[in-house]
Amino acid sequence: MKFIHLSDLHLGKRVNGYSMLEDQEYILNEIKAVITAESPDAVLIAGDVYDKPVPPAEAVRLFDDFLVQLSRWGLKVFVISGNHDSPERIAFGSRLMDASGIYLSPVYDGTVTPVSLHDTYGVVDVYMLPFIKPAHVRRFYETETEQIRSYTDAMQTALSHLPLDHTHRNVLITHQFVTGSVRAESEEISVGGSDNIDASVFAPFDYVALGHLHTPQNCGQTAPTTAADSSENEQADATHDTELSADEQAGATHDTELSVDTQADATHDTELSADTQADAPRIRYCGTPLKYSFSEAKVQKSVTVIELYEKGNLHIHTVPLKPLHDLVELKGTYDTVTARSFYEGTSWQEDYTHITLTDEEDIPDAIGKLRAIYHHLMKLDYDNKRTRSSSEITADLAVEEKTPIQLFSDFYELQNNQPLNEEQATFLNGLIETIWEEDV
């Protein structure tokens, strides 16, 4: 039995003021191409279909078109609601759509009925458990209320009431945060990690298709691994890695833009060999199909493909996805990033960019000037002595003993972490003299 695992489409999302609908339509078409090539039996969509509980009409139409196409291909499709979705809206029409092979998770009512699929190895039971909180579960298990205090307790209780047949291969689709997983900036975070769920509660399942986190990764290990086998420390160092020279950055771009042949090789490289099948990760976040924050700039987005053979025999591989517009981070002086040699031969002019200028002086109308080159500039920052300073600016106790020029110079140095240069000091002297002459 072959499954495609998707999640966190966040249809209708805006990133830094930019609508992502065009990019989302493009990536859904790319996913359809992967589905055509892989010929799965079913598609699992693990929540956060939409970015908001009341999505825009264009987002609903986009998802409707996607489901209709998958249904026409005769695929089974399983969809659950995530924390961004309205459970009631996702569940609308579910009983009618069951007949067409589109299964939408109902609003959680304490019971989850599996959908049974059959292949040459027997039965695969698919359980759809939408995003739940402890309060949701307590409502239906009043006799166990005192035991349901944490998210782990809630999940353990909900799963303990499933009609599991342990002779079958059991697949769970759910949308929660598993302890120890790697977060991205585009995700919602609960105070104190109160939404954490221990991976041990998923022990009875042959595969757990998770949604909620945006970085593709396996769970239940000491150190979660991403699709690119990158560690959390490597992701933390991503900002430092992007401080490349012009030649290095151009090379880095070419290295990440895989050709069709290279992508095919990458896909095969992620397949698990026979020796590693016994240790195949059963609990997995497939991640978002698109990058929704610059913390994900170096993350390779992909489609997760799961193959279930006889019970206990699991194969997983990923197929890389290439977006319409990538999210990239660039850093350098204004003269560096505007030099044709810096961006020539790259896709940066049409990508969504975050540029960090290292000039000590702010560039007048920098955003307008940079957007003439980088057409989808999303974010502009400065990294210089001024921005690195964390000095607290307080009132000068010797204010009556200093001249206005000295006071302003002291204030400027505290604010910018550097003294006035000669040109600025000359300008300031002239300005103050002019003001005094006018006052007289």
Side-chain angles (χ1 to χ4, degrees):
M1 186 77 62
K2 182 185 277 192
F3 297 99
I4 294 286
H5 175 189
L6 305 171
S7 78
D8 297 272
L9 305 180
H10 286 280
L11 299 179
K13 187 175 182 65
R14 300 182 71 86
V15 178
N16 293 307
Y18 282 79
S19 170
M20 301 299 288
L21 274 169
E22 182 185 10
D23 299 81
Q24 291 170 334
E25 182 172 12
Y26 177 88
I27 210 67
L28 286 180
N29 287 332
E30 292 293 294
I31 290 170
K32 284 189 276 190
V34 172
I35 291 171
T36 300
E38 291 289 338
S39 298
D41 300 288
V43 176
L44 315 177
I45 304 178
D48 280 358
V49 173
Y50 301 112
D51 192 54
K52 296 185 181 300
V54 183
E58 296 87 348
V60 176
R61 176 196 59 78
L62 189 57
F63 190 54
D64 181 61
D65 290 345
F66 184 63
L67 289 182
V68 167
Q69 184 62 68
L70 299 188
S71 178
R72 285 174 178 168
W73 289 342
L75 292 169
K76 304 292 185 185
V77 183
F78 299 85
V79 184
I80 68 166
S81 57
N83 58 304
H84 279 253
D85 298 310
S86 162
E88 293 80 9
R89 286 184 171 86
I90 293 295
F92 177 77
S94 59
R95 288 174 292 179
L96 290 173
M97 284 191 262
D98 283 356
S100 61
I102 306 296
Y103 300 95
L104 307 176
S105 64
V107 177
Y108 182 71
D109 62 359
T111 61
V112 178
T113 304
V115 176
S116 296
L117 307 176
H118 301 265
D119 63 9
T120 55
Y121 295 100
V123 180
V124 176
D125 287 334
V126 179
Y127 293 85
M128 296 187 292
L129 182 61
F131 176 73
I132 56 171
K133 296 181 178 181
H136 298 156
V137 181
R138 289 191 205 105
R139 180 180 167 193
F140 299 103
Y141 298 102
E142 294 180 357
T143 59
E144 302 174 48
T145 297
E146 292 185 4
Q147 287 76 42
I148 306 172
R149 297 182 179 180
S150 67
Y151 274 73
T152 296
D153 296 335
M155 180 60 70
Q156 182 70 66
T157 300
L159 297 181
S160 69
H161 290 273
L162 298 183
L164 285 173
D165 185 331
H166 295 284
T167 64
H168 294 175
R169 289 159 294 166
N170 296 296
V171 173
L172 176 67
I173 313 169
T174 193
H175 190 94
Q176 304 289 163
F177 175 65
V178 175
T179 304
S181 302
V182 179
R183 291 188 185 269
E185 288 178 0
S186 53
E187 299 152 13
E188 292 183 354
I189 299 176
S190 293
V191 177
S194 60
D195 58 347
N196 286 8
I197 289 178
D198 193 280
S200 62
V201 301
F202 301 120
F205 294 92
D206 296 272
Y207 184 74
V208 180
L210 288 170
H212 194 38
L213 298 191
H214 294 184
T215 302
Q217 58 193 288
N218 303 321
C219 303
Q221 303 172 358
T222 303
T225 56
T226 67
D229 291 328
S230 60
S231 69
E232 186 172 5
N233 291 333
E234 289 171 332
Q235 289 189 1
D237 291 336
T239 303
H240 297 294
D241 294 341
T242 58
E243 297 179 17
L244 306 173
S245 67
D247 293 337
E248 290 172 328
Q249 286 187 347
T253 300
H254 292 303
D255 289 343
T256 56
E257 293 180 5
L258 301 175
S259 65
V260 173
D261 294 336
T262 308
Q263 288 185 347
D265 292 339
T267 301
H268 291 300
D269 288 343
T270 59
E271 290 193 38
L272 300 168
S273 66
D275 294 334
T276 62
Q277 286 169 14
D279 298 322
R282 298 179 302 102
I283 308 168
R284 180 169 174 81
Y285 289 103
C286 63
T288 53
L290 289 172
K291 301 172 185 179
Y292 290 134
S293 72
F294 286 104
S295 67
E296 305 165 67
K298 285 203 163 187
V299 176
Q300 173 64 64
K301 298 298 183 175
S302 60
V303 171
T304 295
V305 184
I306 309 101
E307 295 176 86
L308 288 175
Y309 295 91
E310 69 276 9
K311 192 169 180 68
N313 190 352
L314 169 72
H315 291 206
I316 296 176
H317 70 270
T318 60
V319 181
L321 290 171
K322 186 175 180 180
L324 180 63
H325 306 103
D326 203 357
L327 262 73
V328 296
E329 293 188 301
L330 308 175
K331 189 172 185 177
T333 64
Y334 177 80
D335 288 341
T336 297
V337 300
T338 56
R340 185 180 295 274
S341 58
F342 181 78
Y343 57 81
E344 204 167 37
T346 74
S347 61
W348 297 341
Q349 286 184 273
E350 300 305 323
D351 287 335
Y352 296 120
T353 51
H354 170 203
I355 296 178
T356 302
L357 295 179
T358 57
D359 302 83
E360 291 300 333
E361 303 297 332
D362 287 3
I363 305 299
D365 190 28
I367 289 182
K369 293 174 180 176
L370 288 169
R371 278 189 176 146
I373 299 171
Y374 302 98
H375 305 141
H376 299 104
L377 173 62
M378 281 187 168
K379 189 176 180 183
L380 174 64
D381 286 323
Y382 282 87
D383 181 15
N384 53 32
K385 291 179 181 178
R386 173 176 57 82
T387 60
R388 295 189 199 112
S389 172
S390 59
S391 301
E392 182 180 355
I393 300 175
T394 59
D396 195 321
L397 298 177
V399 65
E400 295 181 358
E401 301 172 10
K402 294 184 178 181
T403 66
I405 292 175
Q406 289 174 323
L407 289 170
F408 186 89
S409 298
D410 292 345
F411 172 75
Y412 181 92
E413 187 167 352
L414 283 170
Q415 186 182 49
N416 297 283
N417 205 30
Q418 60 182 330
L420 288 168
N421 60 36
E422 186 177 346
E423 183 182 2
Q424 291 169 328
T426 301
F427 175 80
L428 178 61
N429 278 318
L431 183 61
I432 289 176
E433 286 177 6
T434 302
I435 293 171
W436 283 353
E437 288 173 2
E438 290 176 354
D439 288 344
V440 173

Tab-separated table of all heavy atoms in Angstrom, residues 7-41:
chain	number	residue	atom	x	y	z
A	7	SER	N	0.832	17.862	4.382
A	7	SER	CA	0.217	18.574	5.500
A	7	SER	C	0.497	20.063	5.371
A	7	SER	O	1.309	20.491	4.541
A	7	SER	CB	0.765	18.077	6.855
A	7	SER	OG	2.044	18.619	7.111
A	8	ASP	N	-0.190	20.857	6.178
A	8	ASP	CA	0.105	22.285	6.351
A	8	ASP	C	0.196	23.031	5.020
A	8	ASP	O	1.167	23.734	4.751
A	8	ASP	CB	1.391	22.454	7.163
A	8	ASP	CG	1.248	21.889	8.572
A	8	ASP	OD1	0.806	22.650	9.461
A	8	ASP	OD2	1.539	20.697	8.772
A	9	LEU	N	-0.848	22.873	4.210
A	9	LEU	CA	-0.905	23.618	2.945
A	9	LEU	C	-1.067	25.114	3.212
A	9	LEU	O	-0.585	25.945	2.455
A	9	LEU	CB	-2.070	23.114	2.092
A	9	LEU	CG	-2.098	21.601	1.792
A	9	LEU	CD1	-3.329	21.258	0.942
A	9	LEU	CD2	-0.825	21.156	1.088
A	10	HIS	N	-1.792	25.459	4.267
A	10	HIS	CA	-2.024	26.858	4.659
A	10	HIS	C	-2.517	27.698	3.480
A	10	HIS	O	-2.023	28.805	3.236
A	10	HIS	CB	-0.757	27.479	5.259
A	10	HIS	CG	-0.450	26.993	6.635
A	10	HIS	ND1	-1.083	27.492	7.760
A	10	HIS	CD2	0.392	26.022	7.088
A	10	HIS	CE1	-0.620	26.870	8.840
A	10	HIS	NE2	0.273	25.967	8.456
A	11	LEU	N	-3.496	27.153	2.758
A	11	LEU	CA	-4.029	27.850	1.582
A	11	LEU	C	-4.633	29.192	2.008
A	11	LEU	O	-5.353	29.282	2.991
A	11	LEU	CB	-5.069	26.985	0.883
A	11	LEU	CG	-4.553	25.627	0.362
A	11	LEU	CD1	-5.683	24.851	-0.293
A	11	LEU	CD2	-3.386	25.796	-0.593
A	12	GLY	N	-4.306	30.232	1.238
A	12	GLY	CA	-4.772	31.572	1.558
A	12	GLY	C	-3.802	32.364	2.421
A	12	GLY	O	-4.086	33.505	2.786
A	13	LYS	N	-2.659	31.796	2.732
A	13	LYS	CA	-1.700	32.458	3.626
A	13	LYS	C	-1.047	33.657	2.937
A	13	LYS	O	-0.823	33.659	1.726
A	13	LYS	CB	-0.613	31.467	4.052
A	13	LYS	CG	0.334	32.029	5.117
A	13	LYS	CD	1.303	30.962	5.596
A	13	LYS	CE	2.215	31.496	6.696
A	13	LYS	NZ	1.480	31.845	7.927
A	14	ARG	N	-0.733	34.657	3.746
A	14	ARG	CA	0.057	35.801	3.317
A	14	ARG	C	1.358	35.800	4.117
A	14	ARG	O	1.351	35.570	5.328
A	14	ARG	CB	-0.693	37.118	3.534
A	14	ARG	CG	-1.999	37.208	2.770
A	14	ARG	CD	-2.683	38.543	2.982
A	14	ARG	NE	-1.975	39.617	2.304
A	14	ARG	CZ	-2.172	39.955	1.025
A	14	ARG	NH1	-3.063	39.295	0.294
A	14	ARG	NH2	-1.501	40.937	0.473
A	15	VAL	N	2.469	36.031	3.442
A	15	VAL	CA	3.779	36.072	4.097
A	15	VAL	C	4.373	37.459	3.894
A	15	VAL	O	4.600	37.879	2.755
A	15	VAL	CB	4.728	34.992	3.523
A	15	VAL	CG1	6.100	35.084	4.192
A	15	VAL	CG2	4.142	33.598	3.720
A	16	ASN	N	4.580	38.167	4.985
A	16	ASN	CA	5.117	39.532	4.919
A	16	ASN	C	4.332	40.410	3.942
A	16	ASN	O	4.909	41.196	3.186
A	16	ASN	CB	6.595	39.508	4.540
A	16	ASN	CG	7.466	38.898	5.625
A	16	ASN	OD1	7.410	39.313	6.777
A	16	ASN	ND2	8.247	37.909	5.265
A	17	GLY	N	3.009	40.245	3.942
A	17	GLY	CA	2.146	41.067	3.108
A	17	GLY	C	1.911	40.529	1.711
A	17	GLY	O	1.062	41.046	0.978
A	18	TYR	N	2.623	39.486	1.310
A	18	TYR	CA	2.477	38.916	-0.027
A	18	TYR	C	1.497	37.739	0.002
A	18	TYR	O	1.656	36.818	0.808
A	18	TYR	CB	3.819	38.408	-0.560
A	18	TYR	CG	4.744	39.489	-1.074
A	18	TYR	CD1	5.498	40.263	-0.203
A	18	TYR	CD2	4.876	39.732	-2.444
A	18	TYR	CE1	6.356	41.249	-0.667
A	18	TYR	CE2	5.733	40.714	-2.921
A	18	TYR	CZ	6.467	41.468	-2.028
A	18	TYR	OH	7.313	42.438	-2.502
A	19	SER	N	0.521	37.742	-0.879
A	19	SER	CA	-0.383	36.596	-1.020
A	19	SER	C	0.381	35.428	-1.639
A	19	SER	O	1.108	35.604	-2.619
A	19	SER	CB	-1.571	36.948	-1.914
A	19	SER	OG	-2.312	35.781	-2.232
A	20	MET	N	0.206	34.246	-1.066
A	20	MET	CA	0.913	33.059	-1.561
A	20	MET	C	0.040	32.195	-2.466
A	20	MET	O	0.441	31.087	-2.835
A	20	MET	CB	1.400	32.221	-0.375
A	20	MET	CG	2.327	32.959	0.575
A	20	MET	SD	3.841	33.535	-0.214
A	20	MET	CE	4.717	32.000	-0.455
A	21	LEU	N	-1.145	32.686	-2.844
A	21	LEU	CA	-2.073	31.846	-3.611
A	21	LEU	C	-1.490	31.378	-4.934
A	21	LEU	O	-1.655	30.210	-5.321
A	21	LEU	CB	-3.390	32.590	-3.845
A	21	LEU	CG	-4.425	32.460	-2.725
A	21	LEU	CD1	-5.573	33.432	-2.931
A	21	LEU	CD2	-4.943	31.027	-2.623
A	22	GLU	N	-0.823	32.276	-5.654
A	22	GLU	CA	-0.227	31.865	-6.929
A	22	GLU	C	0.831	30.788	-6.713
A	22	GLU	O	0.888	29.791	-7.452
A	22	GLU	CB	0.402	33.079	-7.624
A	22	GLU	CG	1.017	32.740	-8.989
A	22	GLU	CD	1.733	33.918	-9.619
A	22	GLU	OE1	1.918	34.945	-8.939
A	22	GLU	OE2	2.129	33.800	-10.800
A	23	ASP	N	1.657	30.959	-5.682
A	23	ASP	CA	2.686	29.960	-5.363
A	23	ASP	C	2.053	28.649	-4.915
A	23	ASP	O	2.554	27.563	-5.236
A	23	ASP	CB	3.590	30.497	-4.246
A	23	ASP	CG	4.310	31.762	-4.646
A	23	ASP	OD1	3.693	32.836	-4.578
A	23	ASP	OD2	5.484	31.681	-5.049
A	24	GLN	N	0.943	28.743	-4.177
A	24	GLN	CA	0.268	27.532	-3.705
A	24	GLN	C	-0.380	26.769	-4.849
A	24	GLN	O	-0.336	25.532	-4.883
A	24	GLN	CB	-0.760	27.914	-2.632
A	24	GLN	CG	-0.100	28.392	-1.346
A	24	GLN	CD	-1.061	29.001	-0.354
A	24	GLN	OE1	-2.119	29.525	-0.721
A	24	GLN	NE2	-0.709	28.974	0.924
A	25	GLU	N	-0.962	27.492	-5.794
A	25	GLU	CA	-1.542	26.818	-6.969
A	25	GLU	C	-0.439	26.109	-7.757
A	25	GLU	O	-0.605	24.964	-8.199
A	25	GLU	CB	-2.257	27.827	-7.852
A	25	GLU	CG	-2.933	27.193	-9.061
A	25	GLU	CD	-3.806	28.172	-9.834
A	25	GLU	OE1	-3.703	29.396	-9.573
A	25	GLU	OE2	-4.575	27.712	-10.691
A	26	TYR	N	0.707	26.777	-7.894
A	26	TYR	CA	1.836	26.186	-8.616
A	26	TYR	C	2.325	24.914	-7.921
A	26	TYR	O	2.537	23.880	-8.565
A	26	TYR	CB	2.971	27.207	-8.713
A	26	TYR	CG	4.211	26.691	-9.380
A	26	TYR	CD1	4.376	26.778	-10.759
A	26	TYR	CD2	5.236	26.094	-8.632
A	26	TYR	CE1	5.522	26.288	-11.374
A	26	TYR	CE2	6.382	25.595	-9.236
A	26	TYR	CZ	6.518	25.701	-10.613
A	26	TYR	OH	7.660	25.213	-11.221
A	27	ILE	N	2.494	24.981	-6.583
A	27	ILE	CA	3.052	23.826	-5.876
A	27	ILE	C	2.059	22.666	-5.831
A	27	ILE	O	2.464	21.493	-5.829
A	27	ILE	CB	3.541	24.224	-4.460
A	27	ILE	CG1	4.723	23.330	-4.032
A	27	ILE	CG2	2.431	24.134	-3.431
A	27	ILE	CD1	5.973	23.522	-4.837
A	28	LEU	N	0.748	22.952	-5.807
A	28	LEU	CA	-0.233	21.859	-5.874
A	28	LEU	C	-0.153	21.156	-7.218
A	28	LEU	O	-0.329	19.931	-7.300
A	28	LEU	CB	-1.645	22.395	-5.622
A	28	LEU	CG	-1.982	22.775	-4.169
A	28	LEU	CD1	-3.409	23.298	-4.076
A	28	LEU	CD2	-1.786	21.600	-3.218
A	29	ASN	N	0.114	21.898	-8.281
A	29	ASN	CA	0.311	21.268	-9.591
A	29	ASN	C	1.574	20.410	-9.600
A	29	ASN	O	1.604	19.337	-10.214
A	29	ASN	CB	0.379	22.329	-10.686
A	29	ASN	CG	-0.973	22.941	-10.989
A	29	ASN	OD1	-2.012	22.290	-10.816
A	29	ASN	ND2	-0.998	24.194	-11.410
A	30	GLU	N	2.630	20.885	-8.908
A	30	GLU	CA	3.853	20.087	-8.788
A	30	GLU	C	3.573	18.807	-7.995
A	30	GLU	O	4.082	17.735	-8.337
A	30	GLU	CB	4.936	20.904	-8.086
A	30	GLU	CG	5.468	22.079	-8.888
A	30	GLU	CD	6.230	21.630	-10.115
A	30	GLU	OE1	7.300	21.018	-9.972
A	30	GLU	OE2	5.724	21.876	-11.246
A	31	ILE	N	2.763	18.919	-6.952
A	31	ILE	CA	2.412	17.741	-6.153
A	31	ILE	C	1.605	16.755	-6.991
A	31	ILE	O	1.800	15.534	-6.902
A	31	ILE	CB	1.636	18.164	-4.887
A	31	ILE	CG1	2.580	18.904	-3.923
A	31	ILE	CG2	1.003	16.960	-4.190
A	31	ILE	CD1	1.881	19.577	-2.753
A	32	LYS	N	0.716	17.274	-7.818
A	32	LYS	CA	-0.063	16.391	-8.699
A	32	LYS	C	0.858	15.646	-9.660
A	32	LYS	O	0.623	14.473	-9.975
A	32	LYS	CB	-1.120	17.195	-9.457
A	32	LYS	CG	-2.319	17.572	-8.591
A	32	LYS	CD	-3.451	18.183	-9.393
A	32	LYS	CE	-3.254	19.648	-9.622
A	32	LYS	NZ	-4.455	20.304	-10.199
A	33	ALA	N	1.918	16.303	-10.117
A	33	ALA	CA	2.887	15.632	-10.996
A	33	ALA	C	3.610	14.515	-10.249
A	33	ALA	O	3.858	13.429	-10.807
A	33	ALA	CB	3.888	16.650	-11.542
A	34	VAL	N	3.939	14.761	-8.960
A	34	VAL	CA	4.571	13.720	-8.142
A	34	VAL	C	3.613	12.549	-7.948
A	34	VAL	O	4.013	11.379	-8.041
A	34	VAL	CB	4.997	14.303	-6.773
A	34	VAL	CG1	5.471	13.184	-5.832
A	34	VAL	CG2	6.092	15.347	-6.950
A	35	ILE	N	2.357	12.869	-7.677
A	35	ILE	CA	1.349	11.815	-7.488
A	35	ILE	C	1.215	10.971	-8.756
A	35	ILE	O	1.128	9.732	-8.693
A	35	ILE	CB	-0.004	12.441	-7.088
A	35	ILE	CG1	0.089	13.020	-5.670
A	35	ILE	CG2	-1.137	11.423	-7.180
A	35	ILE	CD1	-1.109	13.840	-5.253
A	36	THR	N	1.202	11.607	-9.904
A	36	THR	CA	1.119	10.884	-11.174
A	36	THR	C	2.314	9.948	-11.333
A	36	THR	O	2.165	8.789	-11.758
A	36	THR	CB	1.067	11.876	-12.351
A	36	THR	OG1	-0.087	12.707	-12.216
A	36	THR	CG2	0.994	11.147	-13.679
A	37	ALA	N	3.505	10.432	-10.986
A	37	ALA	CA	4.717	9.624	-11.141
A	37	ALA	C	4.786	8.480	-10.133
A	37	ALA	O	5.252	7.384	-10.461
A	37	ALA	CB	5.949	10.523	-10.999
A	38	GLU	N	4.317	8.718	-8.918
A	38	GLU	CA	4.428	7.716	-7.850
A	38	GLU	C	3.284	6.708	-7.851
A	38	GLU	O	3.422	5.616	-7.311
A	38	GLU	CB	4.487	8.412	-6.488
A	38	GLU	CG	5.760	9.194	-6.233
A	38	GLU	CD	6.961	8.291	-6.010
A	38	GLU	OE1	6.762	7.109	-5.648
A	38	GLU	OE2	8.092	8.770	-6.190
A	39	SER	N	2.131	7.068	-8.416
A	39	SER	CA	0.943	6.190	-8.470
A	39	SER	C	0.589	5.606	-7.104
A	39	SER	O	0.570	4.378	-6.912
A	39	SER	CB	1.173	5.046	-9.470
A	39	SER	OG	1.365	5.547	-10.763
A	40	PRO	N	0.291	6.463	-6.121
A	40	PRO	CA	-0.064	5.956	-4.787
A	40	PRO	C	-1.488	5.411	-4.765
A	40	PRO	O	-2.280	5.632	-5.683
A	40	PRO	CB	0.055	7.202	-3.910
A	40	PRO	CG	-0.345	8.315	-4.835
A	40	PRO	CD	0.203	7.940	-6.181
A	41	ASP	N	-1.807	4.718	-3.669
A	41	ASP	CA	-3.178	4.254	-3.456
A	41	ASP	C	-4.012	5.312	-2.746
A	41	ASP	O	-5.228	5.363	-2.913
A	41	ASP	CB	-3.168	2.967	-2.616
A	41	ASP	CG	-2.401	1.847	-3.304
A	41	ASP	OD1	-2.914	1.312	-4.300
A	41	ASP	OD2	-1.281	1.544	-2.848
